[in-house]
């Protein structure tokens, strides 16, 4: 009888826990596997402008096509094309949004949207635009909408680089969607074909190097640039930081006088706010900005980055200027001179107070201060988990020491023992006199490099273990190794590919010395080689002139090729290259990834067939991406290095760690004391040690992971939300969050008390029955049995084989405490310069670029 009652109670407790956790991570996972929104035919999205033949004026509707977000802090995007073939002008914006539904809306001008889907979750790995994103409009709860002054317009279409308008809507709290209605929030654009006298644009000031020490009370990030363009007239501004930002201020500095452009708390709705005082910025003025942060509450260093645990320091200045000289986008990323900022007005250092109900939701809420009850009541489909963070990669200072003398370091690789292999140019350099217009190497008469050009180093001590390649090469470029530790190298002067034994003996040479070409037997400045360890087929990126990938058999027989040159004036298509510069082979998947240098992206292909699989591109790459490397650790990671923009100021030159599967940016790194001058190649070991070869610095940089720390981060079940890391202070390493629609505290207490009362009653009853039937001895035996294996014994004890709620949930398919992706920041703050830089077919010299490569 007692055993039967025990089973009944056990079943009851299991059902009770299921009931109480009906909004737990498990159920949210099941719910989220369904479509997060639905399409409503009554909520139409006009994909074509309403143009009348009798009027130059027209309207363009940019609306959400009937979406129903299920998760708070969701970001949805949609797009419409602007009229093709001619320029048109946006003269006004009319928002259509309910403050109870949409938290804020942003409009971007894009060359191409991030995806060609009708609408998408742009809070996940997709952003807003495929490349550059020019922000044009912002509407936010409790903030004024963007308004353009008279005779001011945004110019789009034609050759402006803005072919599409992308709408991003942030749904902060989905309580309004309990009735499952469809949302059609959006903006009506008032447009005209009539040329407007004044053109609007955006000037972005952004810090790239700010570092916020833990628990530091006040940290300033200063940015300043001399203005060297035609006069602009600021009329609106917008600030952006993450959780640690206190106040952002922007100024014009003229003749030592600081004039305020705008000052705002970044924790308030991030709309564009009106510039209070009419002003202009002329040639020779300085544009300056300061972001004030606090490191209070943080236990680790915080850096600039795109995840919610990182920070940002952005000030957007919306301006207008004369149409004849209009520039739609300008930016400044230069660190401010401390001498200049000694004179910044004191107001820039004073945080702006605000009411909590005015603050931004999502990653701007100070969720570290929420108590457990508040966390449990958050209406979000996430769970708090303890994860091992991807450790930040930091420089090994003073490595390799002063004894290693190198020329221009063009390539780095690792052998099977993880020894470092360096390919350098000795006393030869690549400059503007190295090649003629037909890509023929000019200084052939000086002979080959009279030094060992291939060095193998101990990765820890930098001791030279092996040195070969003397009197062989003229202009070394790429180096890689195979499973037998043979060296595969390219020489751009010789237009040849070499396979060498570790002792330097030649095993294979392809191409004709000093003879560029584009057929099966010639190369034109080949850049790199990758070898398939399973088939021993190898792949050559060729290169500066031919824009192709060639596959060869192990014996060097031509198998196939793919690729064509992209046009600088058009968006590059899949399989097009503008200098395929570096290769990374992914053995487990048989994929080949290519650093498409001047297109600033990584392209991955099926190695055997050349079939395009995907591209990886991030605004942080900028216009040029020099090299890529692959390691299988953590499920597969890519390491990449970018290059300096050729014209104007670009993004910082730095290294990147990416999730191979998702393409997500996991980490950004660079030297701690100096700067990369011209990093040219990168290689990473399985232990996450990274080496970067620098052409201009004639050295190799070494980076290793910083000490891994366990950090509580907030993660979602399937889609990544743009909400902040929620940390429970040292109380628990795992807190399962429930929805606000879960059972109330009173009901929870009642449900917990009922089984306890029942257990006590049953215990009393059993005690009485056993005493009546068997006496004292039987009662003691029952007590022993219950303490070792009864209901309470089965529910408790780490060695029990009974019910364990943690294992119960973890055993269900789809639920996991591991593998959650990092959170990404607001897509609206990844905008980049809309103007393309000048392309070059050389990379190692700082002199004027060579003429474009021939197509022959």
């Amino acid at each position: 009888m007692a055993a039967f009652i025990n089973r009944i109670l056990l079943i009851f407790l299991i059902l009770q826990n299921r009931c109480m956790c009906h909004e737990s991570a498990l159920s949210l996972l099941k719910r989220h596997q369904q479509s997060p929104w639905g399409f409503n035919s009554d909520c139409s999205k006009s994909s074509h402008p309403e143009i009348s033949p009798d009027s130059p004026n027209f309207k363009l509707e940019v609306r959400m096509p009937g979406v129903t977000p299920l998760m708070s802090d969701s970001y949805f995007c949609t797009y419409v094309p602007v009229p093709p073939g001619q320029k048109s002008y946006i003269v006004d914006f009319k928002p259509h949004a309910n403050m109870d539904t949409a938290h804020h809306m942003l409009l971007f001008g894009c060359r191409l949207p991030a995806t060609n889907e009708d609408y998408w979750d742009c809070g996940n790995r997709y952003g807003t635009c495929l490349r550059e994103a020019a922000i044009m409009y912002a509407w936010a709860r409790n903030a004024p909408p963007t308004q353009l002054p008279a005779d001011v317009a945004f110019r789009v279409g034609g050759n402006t680089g803005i072919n599409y308008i992308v709408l991003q809507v942030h749904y902060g709290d989905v309580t309004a969607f309990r009735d499952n209605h469809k949302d059609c929030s959006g903006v009506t654009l008032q447009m005209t074909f009539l040329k407007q006298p004044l053109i609007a644009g955006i000037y972005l000031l952004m810090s790239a190097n700010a570092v916020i020490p833990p628990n530091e009370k006040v940290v300033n990030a200063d940015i300043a640039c001399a203005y060297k363009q035609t006069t602009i007239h600021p009329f609106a501004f917008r600030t952006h930081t993450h959780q640690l930002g206190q106040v952002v201020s922007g100024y014009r500095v003229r003749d030592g006088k600081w004039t305020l452009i705008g000052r705002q708390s970044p924790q308030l709705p991030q709309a564009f706010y009106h510039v209070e005082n009419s002003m202009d910025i002329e040639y020779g003025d300085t544009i300056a900005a300061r972001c004030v942060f606090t490191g209070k509450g943080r236990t680790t260093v915080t850096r600039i980055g795109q995840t919610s645990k990182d920070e940002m320091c952005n000030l957007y200045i919306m301006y207008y200027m004369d149409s004849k000289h209009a520039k739609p986008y300008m930016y400044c990323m230069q660190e401010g001179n401390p001498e200049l900022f000694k004179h910044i007005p004191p107001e820039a250092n004073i945080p702006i107070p605000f009411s909590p109900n005015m603050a931004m939701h999502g990653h701007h809420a100070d969720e570290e201060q929420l108590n457990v009850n508040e966390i449990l009541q958050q209406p979000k489909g996430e769970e708090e988990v303890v994860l091992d963070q991807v450790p930040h990669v930091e420089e090994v200072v003073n490595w390799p020491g002063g004894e290693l003398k190198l020329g221009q370091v063009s390539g780095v690789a690792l052998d099977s023992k993880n020894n470092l292999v360096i390919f350098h140019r000795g006393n030869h350099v690549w400059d503007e006199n190295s090649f003629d217009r037909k890509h023929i190497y000019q200084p052939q008469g000086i002979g080959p490099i009279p030094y060992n050009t291939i060095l193998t180093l101990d990765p820890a001590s930098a001791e030279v273990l092996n040195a070969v390649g003397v009197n062989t090469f003229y202009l070394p470029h790429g180096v890689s190794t195979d499973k037998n530790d043979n060296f595969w190298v390219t020489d751009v002067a010789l237009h040849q590919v070499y396979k060498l034994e570790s002792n330097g003996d030649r095993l294979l040479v392809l191409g004709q010395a000093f003879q560029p070409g584009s057929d099966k037997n010639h190369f034109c400045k080949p850049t790199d080689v990758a070898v398939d360890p399973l088939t021993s087929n190898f792949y050559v990126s060729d290169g500066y002139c031919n824009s192709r990938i060639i596959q060869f058999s192990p014996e060097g027989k031509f198998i196939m090729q793919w690729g064509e040159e992209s046009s600088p004036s058009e968006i590059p298509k899949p399989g097009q290259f503008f200098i395929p510069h570096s290769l990374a082979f992914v053995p487990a998947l048989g994929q080949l990834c290519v650093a498409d240098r001047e297109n600033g992206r990584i392209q991955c292909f099926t190695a055997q067939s050349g079939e395009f699989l995907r591209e990886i591109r991030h605004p942080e790459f900028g216009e040029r991406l020099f090299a890529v490397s692959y390691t299988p650790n953590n499920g597969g990671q890519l390491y990449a290095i970018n290059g300096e923009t050729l014209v104007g100021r670009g993004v910082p030159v730095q290294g990147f760690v990416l999730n191979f599967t998702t393409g997500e940016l996991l980490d950004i790194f660079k030297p701690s004391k100096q700067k990369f001058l011209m990093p040219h190649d990168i290689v990473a070991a399985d232990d996450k040690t990274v080496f970067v070869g620098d052409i201009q610095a004639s050295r190799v940089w070494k980076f290793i992971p910083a000490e891994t720390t366990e950090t509580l981060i907030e993660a979602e079940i399937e889609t990544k939300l743009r909400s902040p890391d929620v940390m429970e202070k040292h109380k628990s390493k795992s807190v399962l969050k429930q929805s606000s629609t879960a059972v109330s505290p009173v009901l929870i207490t009642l449900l917990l008390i009922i089984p306890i009362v029942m257990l006590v009653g049953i215990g009393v009853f059993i005690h009485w029955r056993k005493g009546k039937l068997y006496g004292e001895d039987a009662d003691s035996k029952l007590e022993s049995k219950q303490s070792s294996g009864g209901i309470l014994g089965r529910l408790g004890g780490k060695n029990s084989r009974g019910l364990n709620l943690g294992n119960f949930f973890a055993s269900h398919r789809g639920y996991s405490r591991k593998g959650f992706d990092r959170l990404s920041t607001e897509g609206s703050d990844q905008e980049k310069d809309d103007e393309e830089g000048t392309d070059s077919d050389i990379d190692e010299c700082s002199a004027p670029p060579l003429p474009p490569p021939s197509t022959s």
Side-chain angles (χ1 to χ4, degrees):
M1 181 66 180
F4 174 75
I5 294 175
N6 286 353
R7 293 191 184 96
I8 294 296
L9 282 173
L10 182 59
I11 294 172
F12 173 77
L13 286 173
I14 293 174
L15 291 175
Q16 173 184 308
N17 277 286
R18 287 186 177 180
C19 178
M20 291 174 63
C21 298
H22 74 277
E23 282 296 318
S24 67
L26 176 62
S27 61
L28 286 168
L29 170 59
K30 292 179 178 177
R31 187 176 70 177
H32 207 72
Q33 286 174 339
Q34 303 171 358
S35 174
W37 51 67
F39 181 77
N40 184 353
S41 59
D42 296 332
C43 186
S44 60
K45 182 193 84 168
S46 174
S47 59
H48 300 285
E50 303 172 9
I51 300 176
S52 169
D54 301 324
S55 173
N57 304 325
F58 59 96
K59 296 180 180 179
L60 182 60
E61 296 285 345
V62 192
R63 298 283 198 104
M64 279 294 158
V67 300
T68 304
L70 297 181
M71 310 283 285
S72 293
D73 287 325
S74 295
Y75 285 74
F76 293 166
C77 284
T78 188
Y79 72 93
V80 297
V82 301
Q86 58 182 318
K87 295 177 182 176
S88 54
Y89 300 84
I90 302 173
V91 295
D92 197 11
F93 306 91
K94 184 180 179 181
H96 307 282
N98 187 322
M99 288 195 298
D100 295 329
T101 301
H103 183 269
H104 74 255
M105 300 188 299
L106 297 172
L107 282 184
F108 301 91
C110 305
R111 188 182 296 274
L112 286 173
T115 174
N116 59 3
E117 297 174 13
D118 191 40
Y119 50 94
W120 64 95
D121 176 4
C122 49
N124 203 339
R125 65 182 177 183
Y126 289 122
T128 53
C129 300
L130 184 62
R131 295 190 71 178
E132 299 87 356
I135 186 170
M136 293 180 165
Y137 174 83
W139 175 94
R141 274 177 44 180
N142 304 318
T146 305
Q147 290 186 329
L148 298 177
D151 299 323
V152 174
F154 278 98
R155 187 164 56 194
V156 299
N159 62 353
T160 64
I162 298 177
N163 303 323
Y164 296 87
I165 304 296
V166 170
L167 167 69
Q168 179 194 75
V169 179
H170 172 204
Y171 298 97
D173 186 352
V174 297
T175 304
F177 289 94
R178 287 178 176 174
D179 59 356
N180 293 320
H181 75 273
K182 310 298 181 183
D183 182 58
C184 311
S185 296
V187 182
T188 299
L189 305 183
Q190 300 286 345
M191 302 184 67
T192 183
F193 289 116
L194 294 177
K195 186 176 180 180
Q196 300 298 296
L198 303 172
I199 302 301
I202 296 290
Y203 192 106
L204 169 62
L205 293 100
M206 179 171 64
S207 173
N209 302 311
V211 176
I212 305 169
N215 284 317
E216 190 77 18
K217 187 176 180 180
V218 177
V219 178
N220 297 328
D222 296 334
I223 316 120
C225 287
Y227 184 69
K228 302 292 185 181
Q229 303 292 336
T230 305
T231 300
I232 60 174
H233 302 266
F235 63 90
F237 70 96
R238 176 177 181 259
T239 65
H240 178 74
T241 70
H242 294 173
Q243 295 180 28
L244 304 184
Q246 303 296 297
V247 62
V248 179
S249 308
Y251 296 88
R252 180 199 70 187
V253 184
R254 177 183 295 174
D255 299 328
K257 182 180 179 181
W258 293 65
T259 304
L260 180 67
I261 299 172
R263 173 175 170 267
Q264 189 57 278
S265 167
Q267 306 305 325
L268 288 171
Q270 294 182 13
F272 277 95
Y273 293 87
H274 182 64
V275 173
E276 295 296 333
N277 301 313
S278 179
M279 63 186 307
D280 59 21
I281 299 176
E282 300 176 346
Y283 185 97
D285 289 342
T286 296
I287 305 178
R290 165 169 285 182
C291 297
V292 178
F293 297 99
T294 179
K296 252 179 115 178
R298 291 291 173 99
T299 58
T300 58
V301 171
T302 304
R303 295 178 172 83
I304 297 296
Q306 72 166 11
T307 70
S308 64
K309 74 179 182 64
D310 299 320
E311 265 303 335
M312 278 188 162
C313 170
N314 293 3
L315 174 66
Y316 299 86
I317 300 173
M318 189 175 287
Y319 61 83
Y320 64 83
M321 62 193 307
D322 184 83
S323 62
K324 294 179 182 179
H325 309 287
K327 293 176 69 69
Y329 199 82
M330 294 182 277
Y331 60 93
C332 168
M333 297 175 63
Q334 184 174 321
E335 189 172 350
N337 187 329
E339 288 297 320
L340 174 68
F341 278 83
K342 284 181 179 179
H343 307 287
I344 191 171
E347 63 186 1
N349 302 312
I350 303 174
I352 295 178
F354 59 91
S355 173
N357 62 355
M358 294 284 290
M360 290 286 289
H361 295 287
H363 63 255
H364 296 282
D366 190 5
E367 295 187 354
E368 290 183 351
Q369 296 181 2
L370 294 177
N371 61 38
V372 174
N373 290 332
E374 288 172 322
I375 290 175
L376 292 176
Q377 293 170 7
Q378 292 298 310
K380 300 177 185 178
E382 305 113 0
E383 68 164 353
E384 260 182 295
V385 291
V386 178
L387 295 179
D388 287 334
Q389 287 186 298
V390 175
H392 178 64
V393 180
E394 296 183 345
E395 179 194 2
V396 179
V397 182
N398 298 325
W399 191 96
E403 297 182 1
L404 184 65
K405 303 299 181 183
L406 301 170
Q408 292 184 335
V409 178
S410 62
V412 288
L414 296 171
D415 64 15
S416 61
K417 299 177 182 178
N418 276 337
N419 293 317
L420 175 64
V421 179
I422 299 175
F423 199 24
H424 74 108
R425 294 175 180 164
N427 60 344
H428 286 201
V429 296
W430 185 346
D431 58 27
E432 68 274 15
N433 300 314
S434 297
F435 294 90
D436 65 11
R437 287 183 171 271
K438 295 182 178 179
H439 308 291
I440 297 175
Y441 185 65
Q442 296 302 290
Q444 299 179 24
I446 65 175
I449 300 169
Y451 304 101
N452 287 312
T453 52
I454 304 175
L455 307 179
T456 303
L457 272 62
D458 182 293
S461 65
E463 176 188 357
V464 177
L465 306 176
N466 186 32
V468 298
V470 63
N471 292 321
T472 304
F473 303 106
Y474 286 76
L475 272 185
H477 199 274
V479 61
S480 59
T481 60
D482 59 24
K483 59 186 178 183
N484 298 317
D485 286 338
N486 296 311
F487 302 126
W488 294 80
V489 298
T490 65
D491 189 307
V492 291
L494 290 168
H495 305 287
Q496 288 182 311
V497 174
Y498 285 73
K499 177 184 179 182
L500 306 174
E501 284 188 309
S502 58
N503 62 6
D505 291 345
R506 301 183 187 184
L507 298 177
L508 182 67
V509 180
L510 298 180
Q512 304 299 315
F514 302 115
Q515 296 182 19
S518 57
D519 57 25
K520 298 179 181 180
N521 300 313
H522 291 81
F523 303 104
C524 190
K525 299 177 184 173
T527 54
D528 202 9
V529 181
V531 183
D532 184 341
L534 297 179
T535 66
S536 295
N537 289 346
F538 62 94
Y539 302 81
V540 177
S541 49
D542 180 38
Y544 285 89
C545 324
N546 290 327
S547 296
R548 61 179 177 172
I549 307 297
I550 311 175
Q551 181 183 172
F552 293 93
S553 71
E555 298 77 28
K557 293 183 179 179
F558 177 91
I559 297 178
M560 64 169 296
Q561 69 178 40
W562 72 86
E564 61 181 26
E565 185 177 0
S566 62
S567 170
S569 61
E570 298 177 0
I571 294 296
K573 299 176 181 178
Q576 292 184 334
F577 303 105
F578 202 155
I579 306 180
H581 196 254
S582 171
L583 300 176
F585 198 86
V586 184
L589 299 175
Q591 294 184 19
L592 184 71
C593 293
V594 184
D596 187 5
R597 198 187 81 178
E598 298 303 311
N599 287 326
R601 61 179 178 173
I602 299 169
Q603 295 191 73
C604 295
F605 304 86
T606 300
Q608 286 292 335
S609 64
E611 176 188 1
F612 173 81
L613 297 175
R614 62 181 174 136
E615 83 166 26
I616 301 173
R617 187 198 302 271
H618 289 280
E620 289 83 357
F621 289 173
E623 299 176 355
R624 311 172 83 203
L625 191 78
F626 273 68
V628 63
S629 177
Y630 172 82
T631 65
N633 52 30
N634 285 354
Q637 291 181 346
L638 291 174
Y639 293 76
I641 195 81
N642 69 345
E644 189 175 12
T645 301
L646 294 175
V647 176
R649 295 189 182 92
V651 299
V653 179
Q654 49 199 356
F656 308 93
V657 184
L658 304 114
N659 182 301
F660 174 77
T661 302
T662 66
E664 179 190 10
L665 189 58
L666 302 177
D667 188 27
I668 296 177
F669 61 92
K670 54 189 173 183
S672 57
K673 294 186 177 180
Q674 303 179 47
K675 292 184 178 180
F676 285 130
L677 295 184
M678 195 170 195
H680 192 260
D681 199 11
I682 188 170
V683 67
D686 290 343
D687 65 357
K688 302 175 187 176
T689 300
V690 183
F691 297 95
V692 176
D694 195 313
I695 283 282
Q696 284 192 7
S698 296
R699 63 165 294 178
V700 176
W701 307 86
K702 180 181 177 180
F703 300 84
I704 59 174
E707 182 178 355
T708 303
T709 58
E710 285 192 335
T711 305
L712 280 173
I713 68 170
E714 186 172 76
E716 61 177 350
I717 297 304
E718 284 234 318
T719 60
K720 295 179 295 182
L721 299 180
R722 298 172 180 266
S723 53
D725 300 340
V726 180
M727 299 184 180
E728 184 185 4
K729 296 183 178 180
H730 312 298
K731 288 185 179 180
S732 171
K733 288 189 175 181
S734 180
V735 179
L736 187 63
K737 299 201 313 188
Q738 299 177 8
S739 171
S740 61
T741 59
V743 283
S744 67
V746 175
L747 185 56
I748 291 175
T749 304
L750 183 61
L751 290 174
L752 287 172
I753 291 174
I754 288 174
I756 295 174
V757 173
M758 292 179 65
L759 282 172
V760 172
I762 291 170
V764 171
F765 173 76
I766 292 173
H767 181 81
W768 175 77
R769 286 286 295 168
K770 291 297 180 180
K772 290 276 289 181
L773 294 175
Y774 305 107
E776 280 284 292
D777 186 59
D779 187 65
S780 63
K781 290 179 181 178
L782 177 62
E783 181 182 6
S784 174
K785 182 178 179 180
Q786 285 183 332
S787 65
S788 61
I791 294 175
L792 297 179
R794 283 197 289 261
L795 289 178
K798 61 184 178 181
N799 294 323
S800 73
R801 299 180 61 186
L803 176 65
N804 182 303
L805 291 179
N807 293 334
F808 170 76
F809 286 115
S811 65
H812 281 65
R813 186 178 65 178
Y815 179 85
S816 172
R817 296 178 184 268
K818 301 184 293 183
F820 288 92
D821 290 327
R822 287 171 178 248
L823 303 175
S824 60
T825 62
E826 181 182 0
S828 63
D829 294 282
Q830 297 177 357
E831 295 90 352
K832 198 176 76 66
D833 189 358
D834 191 52
E835 298 178 355
E836 295 186 357
T838 305
D839 298 297
S840 168
D841 73 339
I842 65 171
D843 57 353
E844 290 81 359
C845 67
S846 56
L850 291 178
S854 65
T855 56
S856 60

